[in-house]
Amino acid sequence: MQRKKECVAMLLAGGQGSRLYALTNNIAKPAVAFGAKYRIIDFPLSNCINSGIDTVGVLTQYMPLELNEYIGNGQPWDLDRSFGGVHILSPYQAKSRSSWFEGTANAIYQNMNFMKKYNPDYVLILSGDHIYKMDYSDMLRRHIETKADCTIAAIEVPLKEASRFGILNTNPDGSIYQFEEKPKQPKSTLASMGIYIFTAEKLFKYLEEDDADPNSSKDFGKNVLPAMLNAGERMFSYKFSGYWKDVGTIASLWESNMDLLGEEPAFDVGDADWKIHSRNPLAPPEYIGDSACVTNSMIALGCEIEGTVKNSVLASNVVVEEGATVIDSVIMAGTVVKKGAVVSCAIIDEDCVIEENARVGGEKTDDISIAVLGKKVTIGAGATVEAGKILDKDYKGE
Amino acid sequence: MANSTVGVIFSNIHDHNIPELSRHRTMASIPYGGRYRLIDFALSNMVNAGITTVGIVTKNNYQSLIDHLGSGKDWDLARKDGGIILLPPFSDETDAPYNNRLEALKGITGFLTHRKEDYVLISDCDGVAHMDIGDIVRYHVEKHADITMVYHEEPDVDSSYYMTFAPDETGRIRGLKINGNVTEGKYNCYINVMVINREFLLDIIQDAVARGLTSFGRDILVKSVDTLKLYAYRFDGYYAGINSLQKYYKHSMELLDRKVRAELFGARDIYTKIRDSAPSKYNDDAVVKNSLVSDGCIIEGTVENCILFRGVKVGKGSVIRNSIIMQDTVIETGVTLDCVITDKNVVIRDRRHLAGCAELPYFIAKGRML
């Protein structure tokens, strides 16, 4: 008997994420920390397992070491399987040719053998830079019902932002008649989320054709999807109405973290019916001291808080000393904010030290500008890092 | 050294000490320190010393323990060779499950016979400490001891719970007594952690069975104190002996002391079951002082000098002081609690006021709704 999987997921995790600047100096974007204990890739991986998809290829290219280590054998997501499970797929040396992944479609094309091993009926393509909870099995059900060759998940976006996205123009039944990549004059506000389900044989056919085309830039949005549409394949949109955020920029990463806060958060990671799985830090419960004041914040295990923390997200083992203030900020694991220091409107990466009375970031304004410190940066005593400044090296002040 | 040591943990042997907390579970699975169970400390000490095989002796009510341990992967003990091996009660057709440590040991002779390690590290689950087990085994080997017993100095009020002894200058154990002391002072108390040569242990068990002995302490250790090579290993670190609900409360509260936390958690990892809870949330009205808070909590009220386990909810206007609130307890609005211990899944409805005192904390059993 040939064993098979109905649906195999391919997660594009190779992007550099250059618009996250210092945060992606040494790690791939999907490995960037989010929401006090998670990494961005936890969301698509958790969505997969919660949707009953247990075979996931993770395509890595840029700075993959930390991401590979984080995913490991996939056990935190229940993706350690004897048949299926999570697999890291990196560029490789082949007999006839060897190359880096060029474009999203080429990355999938180069891993055709991985998919074919599972003899899937459908292939789900995901990207590793979005924060959302989505039941892919419902999307797959729609794909099967509509007898589609390709289904594209889509979300309504504000008109002024529509030209940043791939826009779907659809008929009332959801079928797509036009696909416009980043249009200057968008005809609709239905944006592609970069989540596709393909009927496997169609995907393989079009990937092969795309690979043979020397003029193609080997990209799903620019080449493969338009080619399928031109050939008259059945393409449908799948409307998604929940929380979805592309965290590809400093501002959106900060906003998305802030969306976790409040009594009725815009995005709830504590939903027991849709758990977000992650590799957990080994740390004792957080300690909130006598002089601490912690409000409207999310705090992870192992933190030691003696200062003031407001409207902020603190990852594991962060120390905020007495008299220090952290406000409207995202602080990643192991960072120390010393006495009298102030961190405001900032994203601070792992293992930074903010020395006494230093100041990072500015006041919260409508036109907010987030200060960023990369990994292991030390800000000297009394030094000031202005609003919106991005640093990846130690700074002692003027 | 560690590779030549196999661990054995007695999960049930002190259940009667804290009937409140062990009614539905083993001593080993009593929740402790916000996100741990008592067994996590004994197991982590072993894992951190490089021990890769641990037999866990169980007797009854061990469903919660099985649930906690799973395959052992959270302790890196899901192994092809060894790992965590649950040793359920074993009895001949005529016998009931074991009644004492000797019978329990008899029940695991199969396990002990088939291991290849030279030494057995036997630990109970009535203590919380960061112990260097590698060092204890080294000491045992250096002394060419038959048995090495770990002791800690405890005040007289507690010493009656323990075996006590006075080691001579070479470390050899003399004057071994069981539950003996009434006079004031400090005593060297055996804290239920020992190293014993595996072959020797098997011999003792066989001999004890043949002679119908029943007590490991009284019939073997006390009687043979001068003929066997019993050595004492002094443990000077922080030790929390959990032998009553009062002690459980007192020692739990010591975790609010930075120095105690640094010693227990600072230098190494304590492993426990992963639950994938979200990080804790503190809302606008939260006031939290001098407290330990685990993941998955949502705090909207006032929490002072407390230990909150995973998934606890504290509603608006509620004031919780000097209390230990276990997993998934829901405290609604306008509640006041002082010196209260709630077991798992307790619900305290709006505007209830409950108080105990440090000497006699008010205990609310698992799953109760008030």
Side-chain angles (χ1 to χ4, degrees):
Chain A
M1 190 194 98
Q2 185 175 12
R3 293 204 290 174
K4 65 177 282 150
K5 294 280 181 188
E6 185 190 24
C7 183
V8 168
M10 299 294 276
L11 206 167
L12 296 159
Q16 181 177 352
S18 55
R19 287 172 303 154
L20 290 177
Y21 303 98
L23 299 178
T24 50
N25 275 355
N26 298 305
I27 59 173
K29 184 156 64 166
V32 169
F34 177 83
K37 72 173 281 197
Y38 306 102
R39 291 179 187 249
I40 295 169
I41 199 165
D42 287 332
F43 293 86
L45 285 181
S46 298
N47 287 340
C48 279
I49 196 71
N50 291 341
S51 304
I53 294 168
D54 64 5
T55 306
V56 185
V58 178
L59 297 106
T60 63
Q61 177 152 292
Y62 174 79
M63 286 287 176
L65 289 183
E66 198 163 321
L67 185 63
N68 292 358
E69 191 190 340
Y70 184 70
I71 292 172
N73 68 348
Q75 182 270 321
W77 304 270
D78 261 353
L79 288 171
D80 51 334
R81 303 293 174 107
S82 49
F83 182 64
V86 66
H87 296 265
I88 302 277
L89 304 172
S90 27
Y92 55 91
Q93 191 173 24
K95 194 162 186 183
S96 58
R97 66 181 221 187
S98 307
S99 69
W100 296 103
F101 298 153
E102 306 154 28
T104 51
N106 178 255
I108 304 291
Y109 172 79
Q110 288 203 39
N111 289 287
M112 199 96 94
N113 286 340
F114 170 79
M115 293 181 281
K116 285 184 172 167
K117 196 172 77 180
Y118 297 101
N119 191 24
D121 299 325
Y122 308 100
V123 176
L124 169 66
I125 308 283
L126 301 169
S127 55
D129 44 11
H130 299 149
I131 300 295
Y132 64 114
K133 294 185 280 191
M134 180 171 171
D135 185 354
Y136 304 136
S137 68
D138 190 60
M139 180 172 169
L140 181 59
R141 186 187 52 75
R142 259 294 299 277
H143 180 83
I144 295 168
E145 267 175 21
T146 55
K147 299 191 174 64
D149 300 309
C150 172
T151 302
I152 302 175
I155 191 163
E156 292 285 350
V157 294
L159 185 62
K160 65 176 164 61
E161 287 179 34
S163 50
R164 283 175 44 217
F165 294 92
I167 294 296
L168 308 179
N169 298 319
T170 58
N171 299 310
D173 68 348
S175 61
I176 301 167
Y177 66 85
Q178 194 182 22
F179 185 85
E180 292 181 290
E181 185 69 12
K182 296 181 182 157
K184 290 210 173 65
Q185 304 279 316
K187 293 194 195 98
S188 93
T189 52
L190 196 59
S192 164
M193 296 161 68
I195 300 166
Y196 318 118
I197 291 178
F198 290 94
T199 300
E201 58 193 77
K202 294 280 181 183
L203 175 69
F204 299 159
K205 172 173 178 272
Y206 281 92
L207 284 179
E208 265 158 23
E209 287 176 16
D210 182 62
D211 185 64
D213 176 2
N215 298 321
S216 167
S217 55
K218 315 271 192 281
D219 184 86
F220 274 103
K222 288 189 196 118
N223 310 104
V224 176
L225 298 177
M228 285 183 78
L229 200 61
N230 290 338
E233 303 290 359
R234 287 177 69 81
M235 301 182 74
F236 280 78
S237 68
Y238 172 80
K239 244 188 186 176
F240 179 76
S241 55
Y243 181 92
W244 178 79
K245 193 120 185 163
D246 179 340
V247 287
T249 64
I250 295 290
S252 63
L253 181 65
W254 179 85
E255 276 167 27
S256 197
N257 273 286
M258 293 300 134
D259 286 341
L260 302 170
L261 303 177
E263 279 178 41
E264 301 286 338
F267 187 63
D268 181 12
V269 285
D271 182 354
D273 294 330
W274 200 268
K275 262 197 181 178
I276 308 302
H277 305 282
S278 67
R279 202 171 278 282
N280 284 248
L282 283 167
E286 65 257 27
Y287 175 75
I288 314 294
D290 270 327
S291 55
C293 176
V294 181
T295 50
N296 192 38
S297 293
M298 184 173 256
I299 314 270
L301 295 171
C303 287
E304 297 266 339
I305 314 290
E306 289 283 1
T308 298
V309 177
K310 195 177 171 192
N311 309 334
S312 294
V313 175
L314 271 54
S316 57
N317 299 315
V318 167
V319 177
V320 180
E321 293 188 354
E322 193 172 347
T325 301
V326 174
I327 182 165
D328 301 315
S329 293
V330 177
I331 304 203
M332 298 182 191
T335 284
V336 180
V337 183
K338 296 206 173 163
K339 286 189 177 66
V342 178
V343 175
S344 171
C345 296
I347 299 179
I348 299 190
D349 207 340
E350 291 168 15
D351 301 321
C352 289
V353 180
I354 318 298
E355 296 284 0
E356 290 183 19
N357 302 313
R359 217 190 139 82
V360 178
E363 299 285 310
K364 191 176 174 186
T365 56
D366 289 341
D367 186 23
I368 198 159
S369 186
I370 305 298
V372 177
L373 301 186
K375 223 167 254 187
K376 292 185 179 159
V377 167
T378 298
I379 302 301
T384 298
V385 178
E386 282 161 27
K389 191 110 180 157
I390 295 173
L391 284 181
D392 57 7
K393 290 195 174 64
D394 292 355
Y395 179 70
K396 290 204 172 62
E398 296 301 319
Chain B
M1 202 67 79
N3 292 334
S4 61
T5 309
V6 58
V8 169
I9 292 179
F10 282 87
S11 69
N12 280 84
I13 215 125
H14 303 285
D15 284 2
H16 54 275
N17 292 334
I18 312 186
E20 298 91 339
L21 288 168
S22 62
R23 231 177 89 206
H24 300 289
R25 54 169 83 89
T26 63
M27 188 77 182
S29 45
I30 287 179
Y32 195 81
R35 63 189 300 258
Y36 304 100
R37 307 275 186 150
L38 286 179
I39 195 173
D40 292 337
F41 296 91
L43 261 184
S44 298
N45 281 333
M46 292 185 187
V47 170
N48 287 323
I51 292 177
T52 56
T53 302
V54 183
I56 306 210
V57 185
T58 60
K59 184 178 179 185
N60 42 30
N61 292 344
Y62 55 88
Q63 192 273 330
S64 65
L65 184 63
I66 292 176
D67 178 52
H68 181 66
L69 295 174
S71 65
K73 65 178 151 52
D74 292 332
W75 294 262
D76 266 350
L77 288 174
R79 303 279 181 129
K80 276 192 173 167
D81 178 21
I84 280 183
I85 296 165
L86 275 175
L87 303 166
F90 175 88
S91 71
D92 303 335
E93 279 172 50
T94 50
D95 297 337
Y98 69 84
N99 292 307
N100 54 58
R101 195 185 293 272
L102 253 185
E103 285 181 16
L105 285 168
K106 185 189 153 208
I108 65 164
T109 45
F111 168 73
L112 291 171
T113 307
H114 289 110
R115 294 310 311 172
K116 293 190 177 64
E117 291 85 353
D118 295 329
Y119 310 105
V120 185
L121 188 284
I122 298 178
S123 175
D124 294 351
C125 293
D126 59 339
V128 173
H130 173 194
M131 242 177 240
D132 182 349
I133 283 173
D135 195 54
I136 301 171
V137 176
R138 264 191 301 280
Y139 176 89
H140 176 81
V141 174
E142 270 168 29
K143 295 285 182 188
H144 301 286
D146 294 320
I147 299 176
T148 297
M149 300 167 73
V150 180
Y151 71 96
H152 187 259
E153 229 173 52
E154 294 280 321
D156 55 283
V157 282
D158 293 317
S159 63
S160 65
Y161 166 80
Y162 298 100
M163 277 186 226
T164 56
F165 46 71
D168 66 18
E169 65 280 1
T170 66
R172 186 95 186 248
I173 291 178
R174 307 289 177 192
L176 185 62
K177 283 193 204 129
I178 295 176
N179 316 123
N181 303 291
V182 282
T183 49
E184 266 182 53
K186 289 205 160 188
Y187 292 89
N188 299 322
C189 295
Y190 166 57
I191 53 177
N192 298 318
V193 176
M194 69 160 61
V195 184
I196 183 164
N197 295 354
R198 187 176 56 87
E199 301 278 352
F200 176 70
L201 175 61
L202 285 165
D203 289 347
I204 298 184
I205 297 167
Q206 206 174 25
D207 180 60
V209 170
R211 295 198 287 137
L213 304 180
T214 57
S215 167
F216 192 76
R218 198 166 284 113
D219 295 338
I220 295 171
L221 296 177
V222 172
K223 289 227 173 97
S224 336
V225 68
D226 293 320
T227 51
L228 294 179
K229 284 186 281 179
L230 302 186
Y231 277 85
Y233 178 92
R234 183 180 174 90
F235 177 68
D236 274 328
Y238 171 79
Y239 178 76
I242 313 291
N243 52 45
S244 65
L245 192 67
Q246 288 73 14
K247 275 288 150 63
Y248 174 85
Y249 179 83
K250 174 178 174 276
H251 289 311
S252 291
M253 287 301 168
E254 285 166 2
L255 293 173
L256 298 177
D257 181 341
R258 185 178 302 275
K259 281 198 232 92
V260 171
R261 281 204 309 283
E263 187 177 334
L264 271 183
F265 304 117
R268 52 88 190 254
D269 293 322
I270 307 272
Y271 302 89
T272 189
K273 184 187 176 186
I274 301 295
R275 209 176 83 137
D276 274 351
S277 308
S280 286
K281 282 186 71 177
Y282 300 69
N283 286 350
D284 274 331
D285 302 320
V287 178
V288 183
K289 305 277 178 200
N290 191 38
S291 294
L292 280 172
V293 181
S294 300
D295 39 355
C297 291
I298 298 177
I299 304 174
E300 301 181 325
T302 299
V303 176
E304 282 178 24
N305 311 324
C306 287
I307 294 174
L308 304 190
F309 282 68
R310 298 170 181 178
V312 168
K313 294 189 173 59
V314 180
K316 281 183 187 160
S318 286
V319 179
I320 318 299
R321 290 197 171 94
N322 310 311
S323 294
I324 298 171
I325 310 295
M326 289 188 198
Q327 193 170 309
D328 294 328
T329 288
V330 176
I331 295 163
E332 297 188 346
T333 59
V335 173
T336 60
L337 301 182
D338 191 11
C339 294
V340 171
I341 300 176
T342 70
D343 206 326
K344 285 171 69 176
N345 297 311
V346 165
V347 178
I348 300 175
R349 307 297 295 269
D350 294 342
R351 294 180 295 284
R352 295 291 188 280
H353 305 287
L354 301 166
C357 59
E359 294 71 35
L360 193 63
Y362 187 86
F363 177 77
I364 304 171
K366 187 174 172 179
R368 287 278 301 278
M369 185 184 287
L370 294 182

